[in-house]
Amino acid sequence: MHYQSALAIFFSLLSVISAEVSLNQSYIQWPGRQGDDLLNRKDLQQVVELQRLRDTKAIIPLFKHKDPAIRARAAFAMASVQDAAAVPGLIELLGDSNTAVRRDAALALRQSTGKIDTQSLFKHLDSEKDPHTRLMLMGAIGFHGDLDSLHKFIKLDPKGEETPTILAAIYFLQREITSPEVQHWALQ
């Protein structure tokens, strides 16, 4: 792709984001991790210690813990550790009944350095209702998807989610994944 074309797409997408930011702040600001009571719960503090030690082998089994706060904290820990061994378990957590667990799993997948099957991310994106989890899923698709994923992505109806859609498109562009079809989409 030509440098000038990439710059034109980037600035076009950036101008759309800038115009929308004042209308849709909730997609720009991460809501934070509220309510897991980390400071008062030794079991959650132990997960943080495993994160500090980068002990993937001890963290992954916590994805199956009965307490959703432990599952969420374990997923969140993997966003920092970024071990590819956790990817299958994190994808499984995208189907969890607890929103915080799904949100933290999506964040960890977005941050992952491992290979991710973006088709499973699209599947979960189709059914996910939480806007912040959707934001992280779109980011994960943008960070890990190939050209086929990008073509599938631009065909999605953003349903008022223009900012996360454009951010994900920029993640593809940063990795120099684009095509004439994508350039046309971006410049509309």
Side-chain angles (χ1 to χ4, degrees), residues 19-180:
E20 188 184 340
V21 166
S22 62
L23 301 174
N24 205 353
Q25 279 291 332
S26 66
Y27 281 115
I28 301 299
Q29 297 174 355
W30 179 248
R33 299 196 73 260
Q34 301 168 354
D36 74 357
D37 204 25
L38 174 64
L39 296 178
N40 296 315
R41 289 188 52 182
K42 294 280 186 204
D43 54 353
L44 294 176
Q45 292 170 15
Q46 290 171 341
V47 177
V48 173
E49 180 60 14
L50 295 172
Q51 173 186 343
R52 188 187 71 74
L53 296 171
R54 307 187 75 70
D55 191 346
T56 302
K57 288 181 182 178
I59 295 170
I60 290 176
L62 298 176
F63 293 170
K64 304 254 188 225
H65 199 280
K66 65 181 179 179
D67 182 350
I70 298 282
R71 293 193 307 274
R73 182 55 69 174
F76 188 77
M78 291 312 303
S80 170
V81 176
Q82 300 178 346
D83 189 330
V87 168
L90 291 167
I91 289 175
E92 188 175 323
L93 286 178
L94 292 175
D96 199 280
S97 61
N98 184 277
T99 301
V101 173
R102 295 192 314 273
R103 187 179 301 161
D104 286 345
L107 170 67
L109 287 165
R110 179 182 175 274
Q111 297 298 109
S112 177
T113 58
K115 180 153 177 53
I116 296 176
D117 172 21
T118 55
Q119 296 313 308
S120 61
L121 299 179
F122 277 111
K123 176 185 151 225
H124 288 286
L125 182 62
D126 286 343
S127 61
E128 183 57 58
K129 303 293 185 226
D130 177 64
H132 299 291
T133 304
R134 290 181 60 80
L135 171 67
M136 289 298 120
L137 284 169
M138 287 183 206
I141 292 167
F143 272 101
H144 299 286
D146 58 11
L147 185 57
D148 289 337
S149 298
L150 176 55
H151 284 144
K152 182 175 181 176
F153 187 77
I154 66 170
K155 291 177 182 160
L156 296 175
D157 179 7
K159 302 175 191 166
E161 297 175 316
E162 289 82 4
T163 298
T165 300
I166 291 168
L167 287 172
I170 289 172
Y171 299 148
F172 278 105
L173 183 60
Q174 286 174 329
R175 296 183 298 123
E176 298 183 10
I177 297 175
T178 190
S179 71

